[in-house]
Amino acid sequence: QTSLTKPVTAWTLGAPPLDDQLGPDGLDMAGLHEIKPRPPQVGATAVADSAIATGFALRLFARLRHVQSQHRGSAMRANLPVLLCWTQATRFDLGAIYGPGLRALGFATRDVLVVETPRTRDVLWAIEEGLKSQSVAAVIGHCEDVALTPARRLSLAAAASDTPCLMLTAARSPVMGATSSRWRIGPGTSMRQAGAGHTGLAERSRILPRYDVAIERCRSRLSQLRALDAPPVTLEWSDETHGFRVAARLADRASPPCQQKFRTAG
């Protein structure tokens, strides 16, 4: 039990521009963190933006697992699964968990436990019980919005069990109370990265997903964030470092650089 609850060093993203905003303590490993999609842009849908925010949350958990695996006192917790809780309506909108997609994130299907309920209040109950169990490495919950009282209950459960809770809420819903941090996630322009092999005349490639990420709240840095009011930073995931990095100002190799424009950190 001691090895499961022993604190480790700061949970960071691996991208200095945002890690600097979080401060030396990084993200609270026993806190409640709200992740909200960016309000839908012209031509976008709320469902697509929610899926993007979910992908970011899973990669944030992958980063946590890597941090924990580097420390003897938390190595056991790094092997625990993440608990994903959502309603049947959310699963209908976003689709079921896809095994090959999990493997692309570095997870096996056994690494993600899914609880699906008919009502939002049942989701909140499942999240709280999952946190109290101390048998998962983190909990990811989907709710349109969360009132102050249940938010406080989740925050207390996360602190008591030393288990982080990532709550995905609707873009236009009121912000949650009792949170350690709040994030705003939007889609960044993806870049096609060429591989080493060839298949006929077509070069193998893969898409590097990118996210426009802004920190709207960090409990330990409230005054600094208000003063900074920093714009979103475009991040991409790195399999090599098991963390995020600032997206490079590079163009798709399949097209001339002058024909490709990518959003990067301002």
Side-chain angles (χ1 to χ4, degrees), residues 1-231:
Q1 292 293 329
T2 302
S3 61
L4 288 178
T5 57
K6 183 180 179 180
V8 300
T9 57
W11 175 19
T12 64
L13 281 75
L18 287 176
D19 290 341
D20 290 346
Q21 293 183 39
L22 293 173
D25 294 330
L27 284 170
D28 186 355
M29 290 193 178
L32 176 64
H33 307 278
E34 183 179 21
I35 299 176
K36 300 181 77 67
R38 185 182 64 190
Q41 305 295 302
V42 176
T45 65
V47 171
D49 288 339
S50 181
I52 290 166
T54 302
F56 176 81
L58 285 169
R59 283 185 166 88
L60 194 58
F61 169 63
R63 174 65 177 172
L64 173 62
R65 287 184 62 172
H66 175 69
V67 171
Q68 291 174 327
S69 69
Q70 302 304 300
H71 298 81
R72 178 182 298 179
S74 297
M76 290 178 61
R77 172 152 286 193
N79 294 323
L80 295 177
V82 60
L83 178 64
L84 174 62
C85 302
W86 58 16
T87 63
Q88 293 172 352
T90 300
R91 192 263 304 161
F92 180 80
D93 286 339
L94 297 182
I97 294 296
Y98 183 54
L102 287 178
R103 288 194 292 273
L105 295 175
F107 300 131
T109 52
R110 65 177 179 273
D111 293 330
V112 180
L113 303 178
V114 180
V115 173
E116 183 179 309
T117 72
R119 298 171 298 187
T120 297
R121 66 183 183 183
D122 297 327
V123 169
L124 293 171
W125 176 87
I127 294 170
E128 186 175 351
E129 291 303 308
L131 291 170
K132 291 178 178 178
S133 73
Q134 298 190 28
S135 59
V136 295
V139 179
I140 299 176
H142 265 276
C143 287
E144 286 288 313
D145 61 86
V146 182
L148 181 58
T149 297
R152 284 175 173 168
R153 292 179 62 91
L154 295 181
S155 180
L156 290 173
S161 63
D162 197 28
T163 304
C165 180
L166 309 178
M167 288 297 304
L168 292 115
T169 59
R172 302 189 188 281
S173 66
V175 299
M176 288 177 59
T179 56
S180 295
S181 71
R182 183 173 67 253
W183 302 71
R184 185 73 66 170
I185 309 300
T189 304
S190 296
M191 180 185 73
R192 186 173 296 276
Q193 183 184 67
H198 293 74
T199 304
L201 297 178
E203 187 177 35
R204 291 178 186 171
S205 61
R206 64 189 180 95
I207 297 296
L208 294 180
R210 288 179 170 179
Y211 306 93
D212 285 346
V213 181
I215 304 175
E216 294 186 343
R217 170 186 165 84
C218 180
R219 181 179 292 166
S220 62
R221 306 271 287 185
L222 287 178
S223 59
Q224 292 92 332
L225 285 180
R226 289 196 189 101
L228 186 59
D229 193 23

